């Protein structure tokens, strides 16, 4: 699947991130934005989805058997506060799907983990000109590494 990267507005809070992501994913998932926002916030309350102080992979598994999955990437130059251990997360990959496509969900998480492990990831992520440049770089890296987006 294709994935693009969107630059978040300066000063974006975690609550604003959930609203933005829910709005972006609602059409792809066919689920109300408010329901997505709530699912992402509740999942984050269970345990932080920040993998490192730089990267988070917020994810939620929704009820239903709609064979639906979507992923969206965001960059925050200033950083979004996820927790005390991750006060300025810059790369965020939001994954949401129904329980019947858990394998797709896990494959996407693995592909993102491989991508964020590339050499100089942090530097290149922050230094890219815009979301379009990030999307092109991500697509190239995923193709080269044999990953799937």
């Amino acid at each position: 699947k294709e994935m693009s990267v969107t630059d978040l507005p300066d000063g974006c809070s975690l609550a604003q991130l959930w609203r933005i992501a829910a709005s972006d994913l609602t059409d792809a998932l066919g689920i109300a934005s408010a329901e997505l926002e709530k699912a992402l916030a509740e999942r984050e309350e269970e345990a932080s989805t920040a993998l490192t102080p730089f990267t988070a992979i917020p994810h939620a598994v929704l009820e239903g058997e709609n064979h639906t999955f979507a992923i969206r990437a965001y960059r925050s130059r200033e950083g979004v506060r996820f927790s005390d251990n991750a006060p300025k997360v810059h790369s965020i990959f939001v994954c949401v799907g129904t329980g019947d496509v858990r394998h797709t969900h896990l494959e996407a998480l693995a592909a993102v983990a491989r991508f964020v492990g590339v050499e100089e990831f942090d530097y290149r992520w922050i230094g890219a000109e815009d979301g379009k440049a990030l999307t092109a770089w991500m697509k190239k890296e995923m193709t080269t590494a044999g990953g799937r987006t």
Side-chain angles (χ1 to χ4, degrees):
K1 292 186 176 190
E2 291 295 318
M3 178 173 36
S4 62
V5 182
T6 300
D7 278 317
L8 293 171
D10 290 344
C12 186
S13 69
L14 198 53
Q16 289 170 310
L17 170 63
W18 301 148
R19 275 192 296 280
I20 291 166
S23 176
D24 289 346
L25 296 171
T26 189
D27 288 340
L29 295 167
I31 297 169
S33 182
E35 183 179 343
L36 290 173
E37 186 176 339
K38 181 180 176 194
L40 289 166
E42 286 177 353
R43 171 59 185 88
E44 191 66 28
E45 287 175 12
E46 290 175 14
S48 179
T49 57
L51 297 180
T52 69
F54 193 88
T55 301
I57 308 178
H59 53 281
V61 176
L62 305 171
E63 291 184 22
E65 295 185 10
N66 303 335
H67 301 288
T68 305
F69 177 81
I71 183 169
R72 189 69 184 256
Y74 299 93
R75 173 175 64 175
S76 171
R77 289 190 190 268
E78 287 185 355
V80 175
R81 181 178 180 75
F82 272 71
S83 68
D84 289 343
N85 293 330
K88 290 189 174 189
V89 173
H90 299 280
S91 66
I92 304 155
F93 299 83
V94 179
C95 304
V96 182
T98 52
D100 58 340
V101 291
R102 191 173 301 270
H103 63 282
T104 302
H105 195 112
L106 294 174
E107 287 175 357
L109 293 175
V112 169
R114 282 190 302 273
F115 174 59
V116 301
V118 301
E119 190 173 334
E120 297 184 343
F121 172 79
D122 297 5
Y123 173 78
R124 293 178 74 182
W125 187 264
I126 288 294
E129 183 178 338
D130 56 21
K132 186 175 179 180
L134 280 169
T135 300
W137 171 55
M138 183 171 53
K139 187 174 185 176
K140 180 182 176 209
E141 287 292 336
M142 295 286 213
T143 302
T144 302
R148 292 186 277 263
T149 57

